[in-house]
Structure formats: structure tokens, C-alpha cells
């Protein structure tokens, strides 16, 4: 729903630009619009809101605090590793297996098994490499490239509390509180726990991971190489003999 609201806002701004373009006869390049001045001149609330989103997109960067990208992720985006992470160790394998097996259990369950394993298998091969919950979670994230960025959102899924909505206490669409009211009242207003979060899985780290290993890096070139073969065949015979792949069109 958040993305739908943003798209509607952008369409409104695009309509404004089209109107300005039409005043110019619809000919020639689109006029160079001063978005900052346009935002300042907006009067209608929805247009003001839309312009705030447009300006936020214009200023967006990896270093933007709103993006909430962890420092280690930023480091890998700018300077990715040149080889896959080595997980070929009994202790690490056990940690990953335990983490995946307890997918629907609590973090406390992992910690209890972790302590039990260290206590009962002291001196066993790999026991010294068994990872804590946070360590194995971080390792899996780095190995797979699956990095999750979370933002506060309306518990009714109306929107995310970002951009012009970031400092609001209530959802402007349905009025639902951003914070869990039971926990807020129980702490006399001192502890703010968000009612719901929206998770975004970033694409960049996942693409980088695919280039760590020669096999997956080679597979990443499949579409390009297949397309070149199709184009070469078209130049020679002006036909595509068998349409059995998306590269065939």
C-alpha cells in the first residue's frame, strides 16, 4: 500500500509536469523544473506531500539515515569481497544447521541448545567454532547476501512511517498509533515499541554474492551469451530455429 501511495503521488507530480509541458505546445525537450521551488509553491496538502516524496527520492543515497543500511553492508557494497566466505568447518555447519532447524523457534531456544552443546561436547571437533545466535545470523546474511532493512509501518498496512510521515504518531490514513499502546502505557510513555515493521530485502548484496564464486558468476552471463547467439543466428539465417528460452523473444 505504501508503494501505491508513492506511485499516486509521483503521478500527480508527473501530471503537473505534463501540464507545464502542454503550455509550451508539447514541443521540444521537457522544461528544466526547479523541484525545490516547485515544492515551496505547492498549496494543496496532497501536492505538498507528493513533492516531499519527490525531493526525498532526489536526495536519496546509500548514506541516507532513512535507508538504515548497516555500516558493514555499506562497506561490502563499496568494496565487495573477492571470494566466497569459507564455511567449511564442523562447528560452523552445526551452527547453520541448528539455526535453520529452529526457524520457527525462539532465539532463546537456540541459545539454550548452544550452551548445552558447548557444555556437553567440550573438546569435540568443531565445538570451539559453534557460533552465537547473532554471529550465525550475520554469517548467513553475509554468505547469502540477504540483508533486511526494517522501517516502521502502520499495523493496518496503510503506509510506512517514512518521508513526511516519519515523525507522525498516528497513521494519517486510518489513525492507528505507530507505537504499541499496551507497552507504551505499561511504561508510562517511556518505552516506544513499534506496532509493526516493514521489511525490505536489498538486491545489491545478493547480486554481489553471485559473483563471489566462478560457477555462479558464469551463470550470471547466461542471458547475455544466449542473446548474442540468437542475434548471430538471426544475422546468418534470419530465423530462430527453436523458441525455447526467454532470450528468444
Amino acid at each position: 500500500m505504501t508503494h501505491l501511495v508513492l506511485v499516486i503521488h509521483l503521478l500527480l507530480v508527473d501530471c503537473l509536469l505534463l501540464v507545464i509541458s502542454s503550455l509550451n505546445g508539447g514541443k521540444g525537450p521537457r522544461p528544466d523544473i526547479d523541484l525545490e521551488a516547485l515544492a515551496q509553491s505547492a498549496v494543496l496538502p496532497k501536492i505538498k506531500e507528493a513533492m516531499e516524496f519527490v525531493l526525498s527520492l532526489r536526495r536519496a543515497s546509500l548514506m541516507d539515515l532513512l535507508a538504515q543500511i548497516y555500516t558493514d553492508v555499506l562497506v561490502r557494497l563499496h568494496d565487495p569481497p573477492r571470494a566466497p566466505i569459507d564455511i567449511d568447518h564442523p562447528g560452523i555447519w552445526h551452527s547453520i544447521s541448528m539455526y535453520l532447524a529452529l526457524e520457527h523457534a525462539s532465539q532463546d531456544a537456540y541459545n539454550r541448545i548452544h550452551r548445552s552443546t558447548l557444555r556437553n561436547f567440550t573438546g569435540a571437533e568443531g565445538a570451539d567454532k559453534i557460533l552465537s545466535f547473532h554471529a550465525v545470523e550475520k554469517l548467513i546474511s553475509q554468505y547469502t547476501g540477504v540483508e533486511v532493512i526494517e522501517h516502521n509501518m502502520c499495523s493496518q498496512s496503510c503506509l510506512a512511517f517514512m518521508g513526511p510521515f516519519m515523525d507522525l504518531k498516528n497513521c494519517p490514513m486510518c489513525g492507528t498509533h505507530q507505537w504499541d499502546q499496551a507497552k507504551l502505557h505499561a511504561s508510562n510513555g517511556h518505552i516506544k515499541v513499534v506496532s509493526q515493521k516493514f521489511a525490505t530485502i536489498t538486491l545489491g548484496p545478493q547480486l554481489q554474492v553471485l559473483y563471489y564464486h566462478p560457477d555462479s558468476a558464469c551463470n550470471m552471463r547466461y542471458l547475455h551469451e544466449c542473446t548474442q547467439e540468437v542475434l548471430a543466428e538471426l544475422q546468418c539465417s534470419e530465423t530462430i530455429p527453436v523458441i525455447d528460452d526467454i532470450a528468444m523473444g
Side-chain angles (χ1 to χ4, degrees), residues 83-182:
I85 298 173
D86 183 17
I87 60 172
D88 190 16
H89 190 282
I92 295 178
W93 274 109
H94 177 72
S95 302
I96 294 174
S97 299
M98 185 164 59
Y99 179 89
L100 296 177
L102 297 171
E103 176 185 2
H104 300 294
S106 65
Q107 180 177 333
D108 183 60
Y110 181 96
N111 292 335
R112 287 172 180 269
I113 297 175
H114 176 259
R115 290 194 297 268
S116 175
T117 305
L118 292 178
R119 182 173 61 251
N120 296 321
F121 294 93
T122 302
E125 182 183 4
D128 59 326
K129 289 288 187 179
I130 296 177
L131 304 174
S132 67
F133 180 86
H134 292 294
V136 70
E137 195 169 54
K138 183 177 180 179
L139 176 67
I140 292 174
S141 178
Q142 292 176 345
Y143 188 80
T144 60
V146 177
E147 299 284 353
V148 178
I149 300 174
E150 293 185 324
H151 294 95
N152 296 358
M153 66 174 288
C154 170
S155 60
Q156 303 301 314
S157 301
C158 296
L159 49 79
F161 289 100
M162 297 182 65
F165 305 141
M166 185 171 60
D167 297 324
L168 298 181
K169 294 181 180 179
N170 301 81
C171 171
M173 298 183 70
C174 70
T176 302
H177 288 280
Q178 178 177 177
W179 312 110
D180 187 311
Q181 291 301 289

Side-chain angles (χ1 to χ4, degrees), residues 10-24 30-35 38 51 54:
L10 293 178
L11 287 174
L12 287 172
V13 174
D14 201 44
C15 287
L16 284 175
L17 296 178
L18 287 174
V19 169
I20 295 173
S21 178
S22 66
L23 294 176
N24 193 34
R30 297 181 69 175
D32 183 18
I33 304 298
D34 185 343
L35 291 178
L38 187 61
M51 290 307 303
V54 170

Side-chain angles (χ1 to χ4, degrees), residues 7-96:
V7 168
I8 293 174
H9 288 164
L10 293 178
L11 287 174
L12 287 172
V13 174
D14 201 44
C15 287
L16 284 175
L17 296 178
L18 287 174
V19 169
I20 295 173
S21 178
S22 66
L23 294 176
N24 193 34
K27 299 178 181 179
R30 297 181 69 175
D32 183 18
I33 304 298
D34 185 343
L35 291 178
E36 298 284 351
L38 187 61
Q40 290 293 329
S41 64
V43 176
L44 297 177
K46 282 299 178 183
I47 299 299
K48 284 185 175 182
E49 193 176 271
M51 290 307 303
E52 287 188 58
F53 276 112
V54 170
L55 293 177
S56 294
L57 289 172
R58 186 184 188 187
R59 300 164 183 157
S61 71
L62 291 175
M63 303 303 295
D64 193 339
L65 293 178
L66 287 176
Q68 297 183 11
I69 301 177
Y70 295 117
T71 303
D72 58 333
V73 178
L74 283 174
V75 171
R76 292 203 306 277
L77 282 173
H78 289 294
D79 185 23
R82 302 298 188 268
I85 298 173
D86 183 17
I87 60 172
D88 190 16
H89 190 282
I92 295 178
W93 274 109
H94 177 72
S95 302
I96 294 174

